[in-house]
Amino acid sequence: MHWSEVIGQKEVQERLMQMVSEDRLPHALMLCGPQGVGKMALATAFGCQLLDDGRTSSKAMLDKLEHPDLHFTYPTIKLPSMSTDHKPVSDDFAREWHELMMGGPYFTMDDWMQAMGGENQQAIITAGESDDLVRKLSLKSSQGGYKVSIIWLPERMNIECANKLLKLIEEPPQQTVFIMVCEDPDKLLETIRSRVQRIDVKKIDDACIEQALVERRGISEEAAHRIARLANGSWLKAMEELQVGSENEQFLDMFISLMRLAYQRKIKDLRKWSEVMAGFGREKQKRWLTYFLRMIRENFMYNFQQEELVYMTEKEENFARNFARFVNEGNILPISDLANLAIRDIGQNANAKIVFFDFSLQMIVLLIQK
């Protein structure tokens, strides 16, 4: 993997390379930051850089992430086919991990769980993994250079694994570099945190996301600009905006229908609307209510005519041009309270038809408040 696959983050890249050039590379690094900012991409590109000795054979292995001195550790699950005394290790899912990584170093835990086939389990890094890592890193480098151990989400280590890894970090094998990719460092042992050099990875610049969307996804500059702003510094969020368009469009249609019917006071049609909402299923209903809250906020901010404050798609903004004036200082808080109450009621298994019909009737009153 090459630096070119990392979106933005030039400052972190330069800092890492400066450590190497100044011969002050620590034996343990920890890249911390929110999901989607490219921590795994940075760790993998840097690991490959450390292992690149200029030989054609090394480059070929690194391109395929099959270099014998590049080791990945990641959370795993226990499959029904495994024996009762087996402690799952990364090698048990090496094929699935390799396929996921070759698809690109930007992915979520949900993506990884789906790849392993255990969406309903809790993935952890077991003590068996730390034993396996000790064995691997005790061997000499096959290429005569560094050995790189990339640990994805070390906060998911169980306590036995964490204690064993601590000993390994305290007395690292020769020419071994640990690169941890962490999203919740507070869940790590303090003794581990104190023995690694932490680098905080910030959100990706909007301009970098916009450029990557145009160059890698072939979308228009205008669409890329909107998605980059909605992504809020996360490439994963940008990809989500591209992929979830069908549900968002459905949610927008339901939002527009509610507002138009409530404004026109069409009670019978609002009852039908509530029946459609009741058929969504509770998780989808809560997602729509969350979407509703976002749209109320964005329409309120739209009234200020400050582009940097508004985060809407083109279709959402087209509706907001005529609708936004109905969301104002007099009703935005009651409308938000109404939606939050509906989220609570749905979460407590209230009758969805009643919840949404009452919700729609109250919107009739709230839309005329000034």
Side-chain angles (χ1 to χ4, degrees):
M1 180 178 166
H2 304 282
W3 289 114
S4 59
E5 295 181 52
V6 180
I7 299 166
Q9 306 298 2
K10 294 298 182 184
E11 184 179 338
V12 178
Q13 177 183 338
E14 290 171 1
R15 181 177 175 183
L16 291 170
M17 294 311 298
Q18 187 176 6
M19 290 178 179
V20 176
S21 64
E22 295 178 357
D23 197 24
R24 55 182 182 85
L25 178 65
H27 70 274
L29 291 164
M30 184 165 69
L31 303 180
C32 299
Q35 193 178 82
V37 298
K39 303 181 298 298
M40 193 63 186
L42 284 164
T44 308
F46 184 51
C48 289
Q49 180 76 44
L50 292 175
L51 295 172
D52 187 358
D53 56 13
R55 289 183 288 184
T56 303
S57 58
S58 293
K59 290 181 180 294
M61 289 186 290
L62 291 170
D63 285 344
K64 296 179 180 179
L65 297 180
E66 293 177 346
H67 195 288
D69 295 322
L70 178 63
H71 306 283
F72 289 100
T73 293
Y74 35 84
T76 57
I77 59 173
K78 190 157 189 173
L79 297 175
S81 58
M82 295 175 177
S83 63
T84 54
D85 60 344
H86 177 69
K87 296 177 180 179
V89 295
S90 296
D91 282 353
D92 292 332
F93 300 92
R95 178 180 59 81
E96 291 85 354
W97 176 261
H98 186 259
E99 289 177 357
L100 187 66
M101 283 292 293
M102 291 305 291
Y106 293 84
F107 51 83
T108 65
M109 173 54 73
D110 287 343
D111 295 328
W112 176 228
M113 291 297 290
Q114 186 175 355
M116 286 191 292
E119 292 89 338
N120 297 321
Q121 294 192 48
Q122 182 71 17
I124 64 169
I125 302 177
T126 69
E129 179 65 31
S130 56
D131 293 336
D132 210 29
L133 199 55
V134 169
R135 177 185 59 79
K136 290 176 181 177
L137 297 179
S138 65
L139 302 174
K140 289 185 177 180
S141 166
S142 67
Q143 305 296 304
Y146 285 109
K147 290 173 288 184
V148 176
S149 172
I150 298 177
I151 304 174
W152 184 53
L153 304 184
E155 60 267 38
R156 286 180 175 261
M157 292 186 293
N158 63 22
I159 189 65
E160 187 180 357
C161 177
N163 284 322
K164 289 183 177 182
L165 182 65
L166 174 62
K167 292 181 180 179
L168 192 58
I169 293 175
E170 287 177 330
E171 300 177 6
Q174 189 175 12
Q175 280 194 293
T176 297
V177 178
F178 294 93
I179 308 175
M180 299 184 187
V181 177
C182 188
E183 290 176 3
D184 198 347
D186 290 340
K187 291 183 178 179
L188 270 174
L189 291 178
E190 170 59 30
T191 44
I192 291 181
R193 283 182 285 162
S194 65
R195 285 165 174 76
V196 302
Q197 183 163 331
R198 173 172 171 170
I199 297 177
D200 289 311
V201 183
K202 300 176 182 178
K203 293 180 179 179
I204 308 170
D205 291 340
D206 285 0
C208 294
I209 292 180
E210 188 174 335
Q211 181 182 358
L213 285 169
V214 173
E215 294 178 354
R216 302 184 186 200
R217 301 292 168 171
I219 66 176
S220 68
E221 292 184 3
E222 181 181 355
H225 178 69
R226 287 182 179 275
I227 292 174
R229 297 188 70 248
L230 289 168
N232 192 27
S234 168
W235 180 250
L236 288 175
K237 180 64 177 175
M239 292 299 94
E240 185 180 309
E241 290 297 328
L242 285 178
Q243 294 168 4
V244 302
S246 57
E247 183 173 85
N248 272 5
E249 286 183 12
Q250 183 185 29
F251 283 179
L252 176 59
D253 288 342
M254 294 301 291
F255 178 83
I256 293 173
S257 294
L258 171 63
M259 296 309 175
R260 286 176 174 167
L261 294 173
Y263 179 76
Q264 296 167 6
R265 304 185 182 187
K266 293 186 175 182
I267 307 299
K268 289 184 178 180
D269 289 332
L270 284 172
R271 181 180 291 276
K272 292 179 182 177
W273 177 90
S274 65
E275 290 173 353
V276 173
M277 285 299 306
F280 275 3
R282 295 197 181 273
E283 290 305 315
K284 190 171 182 179
Q285 289 162 5
K286 288 190 286 186
R287 289 202 302 274
W288 182 85
L289 287 164
T290 301
Y291 175 85
F292 173 90
L293 282 168
R294 182 176 76 82
M295 287 302 296
I296 290 298
R297 181 264 180 198
E298 298 302 338
N299 277 270
F300 178 69
M301 299 307 296
Y302 186 85
N303 293 311
F304 295 96
Q305 297 299 310
Q306 297 290 324
E307 182 184 353
E308 67 275 9
L309 299 177
V310 181
Y311 298 85
M312 287 191 282
T313 66
E314 186 175 1
K315 289 183 179 180
E316 290 167 348
E317 190 171 330
N318 287 339
F319 179 67
R321 288 194 183 97
N322 294 320
F323 171 73
R325 67 181 184 274
F326 294 101
V327 183
N328 50 61
E329 293 88 346
N331 63 13
I332 184 170
L333 291 179
I335 290 175
S336 298
D337 289 342
L338 179 65
N340 282 314
L341 179 61
I343 291 173
R344 187 202 69 182
D345 290 343
I346 292 298
Q348 293 178 351
N349 294 322
N351 186 300
K353 287 184 182 180
I354 296 175
V355 170
F356 283 107
F357 188 48
D358 178 68
F359 182 89
S360 65
L361 293 178
Q362 293 196 54
M363 283 304 305
I364 293 176
V365 179
L366 290 172
L367 281 180
I368 62 175
Q369 289 188 8
K370 304 213 179 204

